[in-house]
Amino acid sequence: EDQVTQSPEALRLQEGESSSLNCSYTVSGLRGLFWYRQDPGKGPEFLFTLYSAGEEKEKERLKATLTKKESFLHITAPKPEDSATYLCAVQAGNDMRFGAGTRLTVKP
Amino acid sequence: NAGVTQTPKFRVLKTGQSMTLLCAQDMNHEYMYWYRQDPGMGLRLIHYSVGEGTTAKGEVPDGYNVSRLKKQNFLLGLESAAPSQTSVYFCASSYSGHEGTEAFFGQGTRLTVV
């Protein structure tokens, strides 16, 4: 059965303190791995899609990487506005399965 | 361009009542999904559809039914609501294709069953 596990559950950083979020997965026939950002009271907002091991994508202070078993979301010099829940999802068949998310808090 | 619109945004039901949640998308997407989100459990897939007239079960389908009579609409029904169905419900849609494509989400429906 497809599984997606995110760690840590929560992460508190000081502004400017870089770190990484982890998403480990077990699926057969990965069609895509996705990262989303979710702010309180809102729906998830798309960040990145990764398709194959070794692929990397960047957007502002965020960089996503992919291996055969896990993905990392690296946050460089975060700002308070980066505070949100970050969700990882995988698509193997026609459905999309999510991890439980990492709740990131960045303190000024 | 509205994207994905969910109706209603909030609802309180009594145990045993029925209701239908409506999801509408204007992006001509083939795939549509219904998720529920509970604290600490992330998004769990209820049902999904890969095209007009099709539906399939997700991870937690029990107690829910769906219909996709028109390509742009995906309805989620609760025939006899239970307190365990108190949750925030999200609808999403995406293009089809061999490679996975990102999903676009609605703003959510907060449902409370008392």
Side-chain angles (χ1 to χ4, degrees):
Chain A
E1 184 176 310
D2 299 347
Q3 284 197 330
V4 183
T5 304
Q6 290 189 247
S7 62
E9 290 185 15
L11 182 62
R12 295 171 65 90
L13 300 174
Q14 287 296 126
E15 184 172 1
E17 179 186 3
S18 301
S19 188
S20 296
L21 283 56
N22 177 264
C23 172
S24 62
Y25 63 93
T26 53
V27 297
S28 298
L30 181 71
R31 291 175 60 188
L33 183 140
F34 307 87
W35 283 98
Y36 289 85
R37 169 191 171 127
Q38 186 176 26
D39 293 302
K42 296 189 176 181
E45 179 182 338
F46 170 73
L47 292 173
F48 302 108
T49 307
L50 300 167
Y51 294 108
S52 58
E55 190 173 0
E56 299 182 352
K57 296 257 179 95
E58 284 189 70
K59 180 181 179 180
E60 296 182 355
R61 296 176 293 282
L62 300 177
K63 178 180 177 180
T65 62
L66 182 65
T67 72
K68 288 187 177 180
K69 293 184 178 181
E70 57 190 351
S71 176
F72 292 94
L73 184 65
H74 307 278
I75 303 176
T76 302
K79 298 181 177 181
E81 53 262 41
D82 294 322
S83 296
T85 295
Y86 290 85
L87 299 167
C88 169
V90 298
Q91 188 167 25
N94 291 319
D95 58 342
M96 187 177 292
R97 303 291 177 103
F98 281 79
T102 294
R103 187 174 65 256
L104 175 66
T105 304
V106 182
K107 294 292 189 181
Chain B
N1 187 350
V4 178
T5 303
Q6 293 181 229
T7 308
K9 290 183 174 58
F10 303 93
R11 185 73 185 268
V12 178
L13 283 180
K14 293 183 178 179
T15 297
Q17 286 186 319
S18 63
M19 78 163 295
T20 300
L21 282 66
L22 171 64
C23 177
Q25 53 96 3
D26 61 3
M27 296 172 283
N28 202 34
H29 286 166
E30 290 292 334
Y31 288 18
M32 295 188 75
Y33 312 85
W34 274 109
Y35 292 91
R36 61 177 289 173
Q37 188 172 38
D38 302 295
M41 301 190 74
L43 287 157
R44 291 184 292 169
L45 183 64
I46 305 171
H47 286 280
Y48 64 99
S49 168
V50 300
E52 182 178 317
T54 74
T55 62
K57 294 181 180 180
E59 302 169 79
V60 289
D62 294 343
Y64 305 95
N65 56 75
V66 289
S67 64
R68 183 103 181 264
L69 298 179
K70 294 183 178 180
K71 185 177 183 178
Q72 63 268 32
N73 295 337
F74 195 28
L75 278 63
L76 178 71
L78 285 73
E79 290 188 350
S80 180
S84 60
Q85 294 178 304
T86 293
S87 187
V88 179
Y89 292 85
F90 286 100
C91 175
S93 69
S94 69
Y95 289 109
S96 62
H98 177 70
E99 284 191 332
T101 55
E102 69 269 22
F104 295 81
F105 282 80
Q107 75 277 29
T109 296
R110 185 172 296 274
L111 175 66
T112 302
V113 183
V114 298

